[in-house]
Amino acid sequence: MSALEKARSIPVVGDSTVLVGPGLFSEIPKDIKNKFPKTSKFVIISDKTVYGLYGDKLLEGCKAQGLNTIAYQITPGEKSKCRKVKAEVEDFMLENRCLRDTLVIALGGGVVGDLAGFVAATYLRGVPVVQIPTSVMAMVDSSVGGKTAINVPAGKNLIGAFHQPRVVYADMLLLKTLTEKQVKEGLAEAVKMGCIRNAELFDYMEKNAEKILKQDSEALAEVIYTAIKGKADVVAQDEKEKGLRSTLNFGHTIGHAVEALEKKEVLYHGECVAIGMVHEMAVLADMGHLDVKHVDRITECLKAYNLPTDIPEELKVEDMMKKMKIDKKNKNGQIRITCVQGIGKSLPDPIPIDEGAVSKYLKGLVKGGS
């Protein structure tokens, strides 16, 4: 059997599907050819680092299948997820006469996936996209569910669209080149899924941290598959984030504030989410929504993955509050967070929280004060 035949398939919404398994990468060109027989042009969008590892192999594989394929490489990093780079990719596609029978192939981590997905969502009012995530973060979270976006000065992911990928190819062998820091930041999102919806996943990650961090193939595959399935189930119920899907942003209210502000140490998205989860749970405990023992438990689990749990002391509370006030989950001017009630259990819609209570809590932690 081929890797594609062995892969576990997870339906998401509509005709969007995630295929999970090792060794998928070399079979993608043939699969794309079979799935998109009327497509005349294929555009690989990647960053220079990922392209150096996998880009030429994918390009040559597509051409060997007779597919008219071109590639565009962006500079690695969050700064490329912006209006300027999006326009540059679009201009490249226009110059190469890409029409509506074009397929965008996103090859990379979360930045590439978000950017390429948004390009596909708006180019000629929308062309299809497939995702080939090359990071744990992209596999378990950002490549699944059709959220696409760019960052703007006001904050992260504030300009974007919902545009479901036709296929997500989650090949765990593509993770072998990642550093521990890159692996663990993605695992923060899997811990998040366990915390809000799947106590069994949380228990598994709690007990198998060492094996998972070392990329034990069986353990890592179990975590990735379960986390993806959890997200797919939520997206199937609430594709456009009217309620339930908003709970997947657990940890992101405080986490995005930490991520958006200048710090002494570079923290990846998942590391900021880890910090956010701990402190959002602590705020919920202060409000009486859950027992503080759950805060201690998630803190210890995240530390087992060498993830940060403390808010950087150089950050100022007033700066963090400004960022939180423009969070996408907010309604009627109120900050809202996912209400976790215990490990694996949360309310189906984020709840409003008192700004004064959050500010008071943060001032007790951050030396920068107000």
Side-chain angles (χ1 to χ4, degrees):
M1 290 176 69
S2 69
L4 278 165
E5 289 171 328
K6 293 178 184 177
R8 291 192 278 184
S9 178
I10 302 172
V12 185
V13 63
D15 58 3
S16 182
T17 304
V18 185
L19 299 174
V20 185
L24 299 177
F25 184 72
S26 63
E27 299 177 17
I28 290 173
K30 184 177 180 181
D31 196 53
I32 286 175
K33 181 179 181 179
N34 292 336
K35 283 185 166 70
F36 302 93
K38 295 182 180 180
T39 298
S40 71
K41 191 160 289 187
F42 300 79
V43 183
I44 299 168
I45 300 173
S46 188
D47 70 44
K48 293 175 182 177
T49 300
V50 172
Y51 193 90
L53 294 167
Y54 307 114
D56 281 338
K57 184 177 179 182
L58 181 61
L59 181 64
E60 290 165 8
C62 288
K63 289 183 175 180
Q65 291 293 326
L67 306 180
N68 182 5
T69 311
I70 57 176
Y72 190 90
Q73 300 175 52
I74 66 170
T75 301
E78 195 76 21
K79 289 183 179 179
S80 287
K81 210 171 89 171
C82 64
R83 291 178 173 124
K84 179 176 180 290
V85 175
K86 179 175 183 283
E88 289 169 354
V89 176
E90 291 161 342
D91 287 344
F92 169 79
M93 291 173 66
L94 290 167
E95 288 165 8
N96 282 275
R97 299 177 184 175
C98 296
L99 303 176
R100 280 187 170 171
D101 56 352
T102 294
L103 175 71
V104 170
I105 304 170
L107 172 66
V111 168
V112 167
D114 284 0
L115 176 69
F118 192 25
V119 168
T122 59
Y123 188 80
L124 300 183
R125 298 193 177 96
V127 296
V129 60
V130 300
Q131 296 270 357
I132 308 173
T134 59
S135 70
V136 179
M137 172 65 69
M139 278 191 193
V140 302
D141 186 58
S142 60
S143 71
V144 180
K147 274 190 179 181
T148 74
I150 56 172
N151 303 330
V152 292
K156 279 179 59 67
N157 300 327
L158 294 181
I159 307 296
F162 290 98
H163 189 60
Q164 295 293 339
R166 293 282 296 277
V167 190
V168 178
Y169 297 96
D171 181 351
M172 277 77 74
L173 297 184
L174 299 184
L175 306 177
K176 293 295 185 182
T177 59
L178 301 180
T179 65
E180 181 183 307
K181 184 177 176 76
Q182 291 168 327
V183 171
K184 70 184 185 182
E185 74 121 1
L187 291 172
E189 291 282 359
V191 172
K192 176 201 76 178
M193 181 60 69
C195 191
I196 62 173
R197 292 187 63 81
N198 190 327
E200 289 184 6
L201 173 60
F202 189 92
D203 291 345
Y204 185 84
M205 294 191 72
E206 202 174 35
K207 294 172 184 174
N208 295 281
E210 187 175 350
K211 284 203 302 184
I212 294 165
L213 265 181
K214 289 182 178 178
Q215 293 199 50
D216 174 87
S217 57
E218 185 177 333
L220 187 60
E222 181 63 27
V223 168
I224 288 175
Y225 175 80
T226 306
I228 292 173
K229 191 173 187 310
K231 180 165 186 180
D233 289 344
V234 171
V235 173
Q237 296 176 65
D238 179 23
E239 181 184 4
K240 299 294 177 69
E241 200 169 302
K242 302 298 184 183
L244 181 62
R245 187 171 180 176
S246 293
T247 63
L248 298 179
N249 289 307
F250 172 53
H252 289 61
T253 302
I254 291 176
H256 273 173
V258 171
E259 188 174 5
L261 297 171
E262 192 169 329
K263 301 165 288 297
K264 293 177 183 176
E265 180 187 358
V266 175
L267 294 175
Y268 290 172
H269 172 72
E271 294 177 305
C272 295
V273 170
I275 293 170
M277 286 191 285
V278 169
H279 296 287
E280 288 178 26
M281 281 189 80
V283 169
L284 289 166
D286 283 351
M287 294 170 65
H289 289 287
L290 79 162
D291 193 303
V292 72
K293 69 181 182 183
H294 299 300
V295 184
D296 296 336
R297 191 176 171 195
I298 192 173
T299 301
E300 291 308 307
C301 182
L302 292 167
K303 285 182 176 179
Y305 288 91
N306 301 317
L307 285 160
T309 57
D310 295 327
I311 294 173
E313 62 181 26
E314 65 269 21
L315 299 187
K316 294 183 178 181
V317 172
E318 69 172 17
D319 293 336
M320 293 182 67
M321 294 303 297
K322 284 179 183 176
K323 293 296 182 183
M324 283 188 264
K325 287 177 184 177
I326 54 171
D327 189 87
K328 296 185 296 300
K329 296 183 298 302
N330 297 349
K331 287 184 179 179
N332 300 318
Q334 289 183 299
I335 295 173
R336 302 194 313 151
I337 63 174
T338 299
C339 185
V340 178
Q341 299 175 302
I343 300 301
K345 184 181 180 183
S346 60
L347 293 180
D349 205 15
I351 63 169
I353 54 172
D354 180 67
E355 286 183 24
V358 179
S359 180
K360 181 180 179 181
Y361 169 80
L362 293 174
K363 284 176 180 177
L365 300 172
V366 181
K367 292 183 179 179
S370 61

